[in-house]
Amino acid sequence: MLIIAGPCVIESEKVAFTVAEELKRLSEEFTEFEFVFKSSFDKANRSSHRSFRGPGLEEGLRVLQRVKEEFGLKTTTDVHEVWQVEPTAQVVDIIQIPAFLCRQTDLILSAGRSRKPVNVKKGQFLAPWDAKNIVEKLRFAGAVDYYITERGVSFGYNNLVVDFRSLVIMREFSKVIFDATHSVQLPGGAGDRSSGQRQFVLPLIRAAVAVGVDGLFMETHPDPDRALSDGPNMIPLSQLREVLETVQRILSAVPSTSRG
């Protein structure tokens, strides 16, 4: 099972290293999981133009490269435009496509041709069976490996819900990752920024692992309430071990939930 975790955005090398160091320790303890460090060099879909977006492509890739070198972790980050795919693929191990861009054909094809695994976030507006069209684009492009990530579906204004049937449906044609932290996001819920309901992250993880997934996506931060992006729905870094212990127990009880 993949565990994709890290701060929402690259705030600084210090924050990235703090999280990566803990992920490295946890990877040595929870050896049945494959850890991947995630952080964005640019959050291009912020609610307000005044919000912090990240350090940009060049500096962001430099930090991700240092994370790989210093801690031996695999890395992933999102791309928003076709021209970003090639330089990003030279550094990271998995290319990520943001939910709002999951239907951008040129971007999907370019990522598929990168010869790196591709993780596509299913849009909040998309039915699970429609994600098969994303997979067909990736296959057409010759993608070496791919994942579809469930991150909730729009349910009225500023609210997301998770339909756990989607995990079963999408797993018929793709490996599936459950995004536990964005699924509790309240998009635009704080006016000029998104809010979130962090207290529901662990319950949703329990349900997703029991239903069956190939990986979990969890954004985490040493101090989420002071984070520069998505703080209200991120897991405090100090609580990540508890989450993994819970996942471990569920997998032991229902071993068929993961493809391994």
Side-chain angles (χ1 to χ4, degrees), residues 220-239:
T220 183
H221 191 281
D223 188 357
D225 292 334
R226 295 187 179 183
L228 299 181
S229 178
D230 275 3
N233 46 264
M234 279 200 283
I235 300 171
L237 188 60
S238 61
Q239 296 178 15

Side-chain angles (χ1 to χ4, degrees), residues 30-257:
F30 296 89
T31 56
E32 68 270 49
F33 302 139
E34 182 178 3
F35 287 76
V36 180
F37 176 88
K38 180 269 168 186
S39 201
S40 300
F41 58 77
D42 181 20
K43 301 300 293 184
N45 61 351
R46 298 303 303 270
S47 299
S48 170
H49 68 278
R50 295 183 294 271
S51 298
F52 179 75
R53 288 181 53 167
L57 178 69
E58 184 176 349
E59 173 63 10
L61 292 182
R62 184 194 69 79
V63 172
L64 291 170
Q65 181 64 42
R66 288 216 60 202
V67 165
K68 292 183 68 170
E69 293 170 352
E70 295 290 329
F71 303 99
L73 293 170
K74 291 186 176 181
T75 60
T76 185
T77 195
D78 22 28
V79 293
H80 300 85
E81 301 181 59
V82 169
W83 67 269
Q84 296 175 340
V85 173
E86 183 178 353
T88 301
Q90 293 177 11
V91 174
V92 305
D93 299 278
I94 301 173
I95 299 287
Q96 181 174 294
I97 306 296
F100 287 134
L101 300 179
C102 71
R103 292 186 56 156
Q104 295 296 101
T105 300
D106 288 344
L107 186 60
I108 298 292
L109 294 178
S110 182
R113 296 184 186 116
S114 71
R115 311 311 297 170
K116 290 293 179 75
V118 182
N119 177 29
V120 182
K121 296 286 194 76
K122 179 176 73 66
Q124 302 92 320
F125 45 84
L126 210 62
W129 43 86
D130 290 334
K132 191 170 185 178
N133 293 323
I134 300 171
V135 169
E136 290 178 355
K137 291 177 184 179
L138 289 168
R139 288 175 175 168
F140 176 78
V144 297
D145 200 4
Y146 50 83
Y147 307 85
I148 299 294
T149 292
E150 171 62 47
R151 47 103 8 109
V153 63
S154 295
F155 189 74
Y157 297 121
N158 306 122
N159 194 38
L160 300 172
V161 298
V162 178
D163 179 358
F164 286 97
R165 295 176 299 178
S166 70
L167 303 179
V168 179
I169 292 167
M170 294 192 299
R171 224 169 177 217
E172 295 176 357
F173 52 80
S174 176
K175 288 184 284 187
V176 173
I177 294 171
F178 178 63
D179 183 342
T181 48
H182 285 108
S183 291
V184 301
Q185 187 183 63
L186 300 176
D192 63 349
R193 63 191 185 279
S194 293
S195 185
Q197 297 174 310
R198 189 185 303 145
Q199 69 271 27
F200 297 122
V201 170
L202 188 54
L204 291 184
I205 286 175
R206 292 188 190 117
V209 174
V211 170
V213 289
D214 301 279
L216 293 171
F217 181 107
M218 302 174 281
E219 289 186 334
T220 183
H221 191 281
D223 188 357
D225 292 334
R226 295 187 179 183
L228 299 181
S229 178
D230 275 3
N233 46 264
M234 279 200 283
I235 300 171
L237 188 60
S238 61
Q239 296 178 15
L240 194 53
R241 174 177 273 101
E242 175 190 351
V243 172
L244 295 174
E245 288 172 345
T246 298
V247 173
Q248 198 176 50
R249 288 195 297 271
I250 295 173
L251 288 175
S252 296
V254 195
S256 62
T257 61

